[in-house]
Amino acid sequence: MKKFINDPNDVVAEALAGIAAAHPGDLRVDTAGQYICRADAPRSGKVALVSGGGSGHEPLHGGFVGPGMLDAACPGEVFTSPVPDQILAATKAVDGGAGVVHVVKNYTGDVMNFQMAAELAADEGVTVETVLVDDDVAVENSTWTAGRRGTGATLLVEKIAGALAEEGGKLAEVAAIGREVNTASGSFAYALTAGTTPAAGRPGFDLPDDEIEVGVGIHGEPGRRREKLRPARDLVRSALDAILEAKPVADGDQVIVLVNGLGGTPLLELYLVYGEVATVLAERGVRIVRRLVGNYVTSLDMAGLSITVTRVTDEMVRLWDAPVRTPGLRWGA
């Protein structure tokens, strides 16, 4: 294993110190509570958004803390859910009296720990609504989930719901639009190689040089099957077939497309894949009104990518376009 680390046991803590040093004045890192929040939190009268999950998916979630998106993020150890006390501390730190929305990816540990934290917050007078993200159409009831996994659509939920909260939306409204975005989203991923966790020091799974994992999860969970590597255009069509079967879009519908690298895929290849996605959707009469290409929801150094298609309303597009200022996503601000 070759990684830019000091001690595998200190990676998350030292990365938190690094993000604090890199974004002074924008972010505040509580090293004892192990969470990241906006420097101006709490903001009185504003609905706050809190998310989190295991580290190793950066910039998700800590890189999406800031105006127009999350108020706080709770990074667990690598590929390990944050604990309830950690989530509770972040929730209380950003509560401005208007309630808090928890954005939770559908993994058993995340769901359980965020639920416990929400109950503890309620005991202390903080009202919490939960938005569960389960956009991965590849498999159900996988290694760490009951139901579909939460993947790329998490970014869209956090951006669109975060924009509404920034505008002064009420708790129920912010949660409702987050759920609407999730319902309208489908994602599918491929892996060419496995990621390597610092503690293990070896790839998370073995994959022959001429095979790919079809429908891989963001922790390296198995997908639908393994198969021989095919041209990108064929893989894109297969992924879009799966997405649009599960989350149909009609001729004339408008969508946001995310082509997301899993950590070790060059942008050259991601843009090539986006071009294939645009071709297929155009053939089907689907209008891509916004798009995002890059590494946003990663799996350490995994060579792979995911495709997310979200059918959007004009209001969702307006909120997507609203200003955002975070380490990982920034425009209009």
Side-chain angles (χ1 to χ4, degrees):
M1 178 180 72
K2 294 181 180 179
K3 289 185 178 292
F4 293 105
I5 61 175
N6 296 311
D7 185 319
N9 296 315
D10 299 331
V11 168
V12 174
E14 292 181 352
L16 282 175
I19 196 170
H23 300 281
D26 292 328
L27 301 180
R28 186 170 76 245
V29 174
D30 187 306
T31 53
Q34 199 166 323
Y35 63 82
I36 304 167
C37 67
R38 290 171 56 158
D40 61 353
R43 299 190 62 209
S44 179
K46 178 189 176 298
V47 172
L49 270 72
V50 176
S51 193
S55 296
H57 304 303
E58 289 73 21
L60 191 81
H61 294 273
F64 298 144
V65 174
M69 219 160 169
L70 295 176
D71 293 85
C74 306
E77 295 301 317
V78 174
F79 292 174
T80 302
S81 301
V83 298
D85 287 349
Q86 183 182 356
I87 301 164
L88 175 63
T91 299
K92 291 167 60 179
V94 298
D95 174 41
V100 178
V101 172
H102 284 173
V103 179
V104 185
K105 302 188 303 301
N106 189 32
Y107 297 95
T108 302
D110 289 13
V111 171
M112 178 178 66
N113 290 349
F114 270 92
Q115 181 179 353
M116 291 176 63
E119 292 170 356
L120 292 168
D123 290 342
E124 299 194 31
V126 180
T127 303
V128 175
E129 289 271 2
T130 298
V131 176
L132 187 68
V133 183
D134 59 354
D135 57 303
D136 187 350
V137 305
V139 297
E140 292 196 40
N141 303 319
S142 68
T143 309
W144 294 334
T145 62
R148 288 175 170 158
R149 304 174 294 212
T151 58
T154 311
L155 181 155
L156 285 97
V157 170
E158 293 175 355
K159 172 63 186 80
I160 291 172
L164 184 57
E166 199 71 34
E167 292 180 356
K170 303 300 184 186
L171 179 63
E173 296 169 339
V174 174
I177 194 117
R179 294 176 187 130
E180 186 179 353
V181 172
N182 174 66
T183 299
S185 300
S187 299
F188 198 96
Y190 294 105
L192 305 181
T193 65
T196 300
T197 61
R202 60 182 182 276
F205 56 89
D206 295 321
L207 193 59
D209 289 343
D210 61 343
E211 290 187 0
I212 61 173
E213 186 75 37
V214 178
V216 70
I218 58 172
H219 309 95
E221 307 97 311
R224 292 183 171 186
R225 63 186 178 276
R226 290 183 176 181
E227 63 179 42
K228 299 298 184 183
L229 180 62
R230 295 181 282 146
R233 66 175 64 89
D234 297 339
L235 296 177
V236 166
R237 287 185 182 276
S238 295
L240 289 175
D241 284 345
I243 292 170
L244 299 181
E245 179 182 1
K247 300 295 178 82
V249 294
D251 188 346
D253 281 351
Q254 55 185 15
V255 300
I256 295 175
V257 168
L258 167 64
V259 173
N260 170 67
L262 293 176
T265 304
L267 275 170
L268 180 73
E269 296 173 31
L270 297 181
Y271 277 113
L272 184 154
V273 166
Y274 175 78
E276 298 294 343
V277 172
T279 296
V280 174
L281 292 181
E283 291 171 357
R284 301 188 184 196
V286 178
R287 294 190 301 125
I288 303 175
V289 293
R290 300 291 184 273
R291 71 284 298 156
L292 197 61
V293 179
N295 291 287
Y296 295 99
V297 183
T298 63
S299 184
L300 293 169
D301 54 350
M302 180 186 290
L305 60 83
S306 64
I307 299 169
T308 300
V309 178
T310 302
R311 181 171 48 83
V312 290
T313 63
D314 290 340
E315 175 67 358
M316 289 180 191
V317 175
R318 185 187 71 80
L319 292 168
W320 177 261
D321 288 343
V324 60
R325 191 174 78 248
T326 72
L329 206 64
R330 181 179 297 245
W331 58 69

